[in-house]
Amino acid sequence: MKRFTVIGAGLAGCEAAWQIARAGHKVTLVEMKPVRYTPAHKSEYFAELVCSNSLKASRIESAAGLLKEEMARLGSLTVPVARDCAVPAGGALAVDRDIFSRAVTEKIMNHPNITVEHRVVDKIAPADDEMLVIATGPLTDGALSAEIERLCPNMLSFYDAAAPIVTADSIDMTKAFGASRYERGGDSDYLNCPFNKAQYEEFIDELIHAEGAVVHDFDVYEGCMPIEKLAKRGLDAPRFGPMKPVGLVDPATGHRPWACVQLRRENDKGTMYNLVGFQTNLKFGEQKRVFGMIPGLENAEFVRYGVMHRNSFIDSPRVLCGDYSLKAQPNIFFAGQITGVEGYMESAASGIMAGKNAVRRAEGKDTVVLSEFTMIGALSHYISDESVQNFQPMGANFGILPPIEPKIRDKKERYKALAERALNELKV
């Protein structure tokens, strides 16, 4: 009888343990909290969401929505929980982070096949009869990080950033207005802070000259680019990025703003809002000063300033198979952002596959890599593609799926066709 151990109770680890337990096997889930916390984690609960309450788009015709639908059909733990505790967010699936983590923790703790141990792991030495899933997250450090690097030489790293959160009561609603882009969702889902041209140019000038918290340069994942670093690429870079005004009309002027900062509801009660796309590495005092120039946030109360932290990931194409097992030791599986999948749901999806494949290997069955036509399968193929030389984290996107032939020119129709093909290919 094989033993199963999962290290790490983030989204990936919880999904892996859940799949093993659902298959009828006993599994030990080891989590270091509350014995020790990473710099980014504060809650004692599992599956803690750190930098956003948004799990991205919910429409199946979107890459993120397709990913979640595939996960749900594979018996995901986190997707149904997220849907049960969703808060309004236009076309996105957003959750109250505390309620979400509590709910996941409760389900894990109450499953009869899952035993939770709260301790710090500093040695990786699975027994011959043990299947091990390592889902320790991108902030793995210390002795455990050294152990992983022993298993996976040339471990890589990058820096990740989180956006500030402000209280709803401190937002000046005579300047901000409620609306989702292209009128998707209710007016309370997003608040918008509009700039005219002069305000925008003054803001960008202050932003690029503000003092950062880290003086050395570093490699940062493109999807979490600090807003000040993006601004240094060119005056209009933020205006064509997170500050794009497309799909919005300022009711005060009847026109589209020159630029706009969107605020997304952070919790179910709507008492806090997240500055969308405003990941930052500025010093806290500088954040209050510069972001106070945003129309409507002049007197904003920050309940959390933006932070930056080091994220690590392994050189997966060299060390992992598409089933998330270690090439050199097939009884060891990896899951989560440490594999190079980028995003909460992407991490959870990798946990599903690692857990399922650990069970299959223990039962003497062939492991499974889903079709590259599915979003989960495409991510598995990406992280194990040995032809990738400059390996970098990748989130769900339609660009990693094989194209539809003949090509469909209309983007909405093309995405719909890709999603339909993926779900038809999905073998549960």
Side-chain angles (χ1 to χ4, degrees):
M1 189 71 173
K2 295 289 187 180
R3 292 187 291 156
F4 294 86
T5 303
V6 177
I7 304 175
L11 277 77
C14 286
E15 286 282 14
W18 188 255
Q19 296 303 317
I20 295 166
R22 285 179 72 239
H25 294 275
K26 299 291 185 181
V27 56
T28 300
L29 177 60
V30 183
E31 168 57 43
M32 71 176 185
K33 296 190 303 183
V35 179
R36 181 188 296 172
Y37 287 84
T38 73
H41 293 87
K42 308 298 179 186
S43 170
E44 65 185 281
Y45 299 107
F46 304 157
E48 182 180 358
L49 304 180
V50 176
C51 68
S52 175
N53 69 338
S54 175
L55 302 177
K56 302 181 183 177
S58 56
R59 294 176 294 108
I60 293 178
E61 297 81 7
S62 67
L66 173 60
L67 176 72
K68 288 190 282 290
E69 181 60 23
E70 291 178 2
M71 292 170 62
R73 295 189 184 193
L74 291 173
S76 168
L77 163 65
T78 58
V79 170
V81 170
R83 289 172 175 171
D84 286 344
C85 59
V87 299
L93 174 60
V95 298
D96 183 300
R97 295 188 297 171
D98 185 59
I99 293 174
F100 172 79
S101 295
R102 285 174 182 264
V104 172
T105 303
E106 182 178 353
K107 286 185 175 294
I108 290 289
M109 297 295 290
N110 288 338
H111 198 293
N113 286 345
I114 301 176
T115 299
V116 177
E117 295 183 0
H118 296 278
R119 58 183 174 86
V120 176
V121 176
D122 55 16
K123 189 73 175 177
I124 300 175
D128 292 339
D129 65 344
E130 183 178 9
M131 291 293 163
L132 175 64
V133 179
I134 300 172
T136 53
L139 300 180
T140 305
D141 64 2
L144 183 55
S145 179
E147 281 289 282
I148 293 174
E149 187 141 22
R150 176 179 61 81
L151 294 172
C152 309
N154 302 317
M155 194 167 181
L156 308 175
S157 65
F158 65 107
Y159 278 76
D160 198 7
I165 298 172
V166 299
T167 62
D169 289 344
S170 66
I171 301 168
D172 185 349
M173 292 303 299
T174 66
K175 297 179 180 179
F177 62 94
S180 295
R181 284 195 174 91
Y182 309 107
E183 299 181 349
R184 292 175 181 166
D187 287 349
S188 63
D189 296 350
Y190 289 89
L191 299 180
N192 303 275
C193 301
F195 287 79
N196 61 33
K197 187 172 185 291
Q199 290 172 326
Y200 174 78
E201 292 180 351
E202 182 182 5
F203 172 75
I204 295 299
D205 183 65
E206 290 296 325
L207 182 63
I208 63 177
H209 291 102
E211 187 176 0
V214 179
V215 296
H216 63 273
D217 199 13
F218 40 75
D219 184 22
V220 63
Y221 173 58
E222 189 75 18
C224 288
M225 178 70 62
I227 185 65
E228 63 274 12
K229 190 167 186 176
L230 177 63
K232 291 176 182 178
R233 291 182 171 181
L235 178 61
D236 286 326
R239 199 165 71 88
F240 287 93
M243 296 181 69
K244 64 179 180 289
V246 177
L248 296 170
V249 176
D250 184 353
T253 64
H255 300 290
R256 187 174 77 179
W258 182 256
C260 193
V261 173
Q262 277 204 313
L263 311 178
R264 181 177 54 231
R265 184 189 290 209
E266 180 68 17
N267 60 351
D268 191 32
K269 295 180 180 179
T271 58
M272 299 181 292
Y273 279 81
N274 185 294
L275 277 66
V276 178
F278 264 60
Q279 300 89 351
T280 182
N281 188 44
L282 296 181
K283 287 187 173 181
F284 290 174
E286 291 287 77
Q287 290 184 44
K288 185 172 181 63
R289 178 182 70 83
V290 178
F291 296 159
M293 298 174 65
I294 298 172
L297 300 188
E298 292 86 353
N299 298 304
E301 177 187 357
F302 290 82
V303 295
R304 186 191 72 188
Y305 286 105
V307 294
M308 176 163 282
H309 47 264
R310 176 180 178 272
N311 275 0
S312 299
F313 59 100
I314 59 179
D315 191 7
S316 292
R318 257 53 67 183
V319 299
L320 288 190
C321 299
D323 60 7
Y324 291 95
S325 68
L326 198 61
K327 292 178 180 179
Q329 297 187 51
N331 64 322
I332 298 179
F333 293 78
F334 280 81
Q337 288 194 63
I338 199 167
T339 68
V341 296
E342 174 58 30
Y344 285 125
M345 287 291 98
E346 290 86 343
S347 297
S350 71
I352 291 174
M353 297 311 300
K356 285 182 177 293
N357 281 324
V359 168
R360 293 184 69 87
R361 180 149 289 152
E363 294 178 347
K365 301 175 182 177
D366 291 337
T367 57
V368 174
V369 179
L370 298 182
S371 165
E372 62 179 345
F373 293 130
T374 68
M375 192 59 69
I376 294 176
L379 287 169
S380 299
H381 284 276
Y382 172 78
I383 63 98
S384 59
D385 184 356
E386 294 186 24
S387 69
V388 176
Q389 296 303 313
N390 183 27
F391 181 65
Q392 291 293 317
M394 178 70 70
N397 68 88
F398 282 122
I400 61 174
L401 298 182
I404 290 280
E405 298 293 346
K407 183 177 181 180
I408 302 173
R409 294 191 176 275
D410 182 82
K411 186 168 70 172
K412 288 184 178 179
E413 290 300 316
R414 185 168 68 251
Y415 288 173
K416 180 181 179 181
L418 287 167
E420 289 176 349
R421 184 182 67 177
L423 295 177
N424 287 334
E425 285 281 329
L426 187 64
K427 306 299 182 185
V428 179

PDB file of all heavy atoms in Angstrom, residues 132 137 215 376 413:
ATOM      1  N   LEU A 132       5.126  11.558  -3.242  1.00  0.00           N
ATOM      2  CA  LEU A 132       5.287  12.885  -2.661  1.00  0.00           C
ATOM      3  C   LEU A 132       4.926  13.958  -3.670  1.00  0.00           C
ATOM      4  O   LEU A 132       5.413  13.930  -4.808  1.00  0.00           O
ATOM      5  CB  LEU A 132       6.738  13.074  -2.203  1.00  0.00           C
ATOM      6  CG  LEU A 132       7.121  14.450  -1.663  1.00  0.00           C
ATOM      7  CD1 LEU A 132       6.353  14.765  -0.383  1.00  0.00           C
ATOM      8  CD2 LEU A 132       8.635  14.511  -1.400  1.00  0.00           C
ATOM      9  N   GLY A 137       5.024  26.422  -3.138  1.00  0.00           N
ATOM     10  CA  GLY A 137       4.774  27.800  -3.536  1.00  0.00           C
ATOM     11  C   GLY A 137       6.013  28.541  -3.972  1.00  0.00           C
ATOM     12  O   GLY A 137       7.149  28.093  -3.765  1.00  0.00           O
ATOM     13  N   VAL A 215      16.610  49.124  -4.093  1.00  0.00           N
ATOM     14  CA  VAL A 215      17.460  49.945  -4.941  1.00  0.00           C
ATOM     15  C   VAL A 215      18.066  49.161  -6.098  1.00  0.00           C
ATOM     16  O   VAL A 215      18.408  49.723  -7.126  1.00  0.00           O
ATOM     17  CB  VAL A 215      18.590  50.598  -4.121  1.00  0.00           C
ATOM     18  CG1 VAL A 215      18.011  51.556  -3.099  1.00  0.00           C
ATOM     19  CG2 VAL A 215      19.449  49.544  -3.418  1.00  0.00           C
ATOM     20  N   ILE A 376      -5.621  23.108 -19.599  1.00  0.00           N
ATOM     21  CA  ILE A 376      -4.778  22.435 -18.608  1.00  0.00           C
ATOM     22  C   ILE A 376      -3.691  21.643 -19.300  1.00  0.00           C
ATOM     23  O   ILE A 376      -2.523  21.653 -18.884  1.00  0.00           O
ATOM     24  CB  ILE A 376      -5.631  21.527 -17.698  1.00  0.00           C
ATOM     25  CG1 ILE A 376      -6.593  22.366 -16.851  1.00  0.00           C
ATOM     26  CG2 ILE A 376      -4.736  20.682 -16.787  1.00  0.00           C
ATOM     27  CD1 ILE A 376      -7.545  21.539 -16.001  1.00  0.00           C
ATOM     28  N   GLU A 413     -15.432  34.706 -32.045  1.00  0.00           N
ATOM     29  CA  GLU A 413     -15.813  33.411 -32.602  1.00  0.00           C
ATOM     30  C   GLU A 413     -14.658  32.416 -32.506  1.00  0.00           C
ATOM     31  O   GLU A 413     -14.865  31.225 -32.275  1.00  0.00           O
ATOM     32  CB  GLU A 413     -16.253  33.579 -34.054  1.00  0.00           C
ATOM     33  CG  GLU A 413     -17.577  34.298 -34.216  1.00  0.00           C
ATOM     34  CD  GLU A 413     -18.715  33.561 -33.523  1.00  0.00           C
ATOM     35  OE1 GLU A 413     -18.788  32.322 -33.665  1.00  0.00           O
ATOM     36  OE2 GLU A 413     -19.517  34.224 -32.829  1.00  0.00           O
TER      37      GLU A 413
END
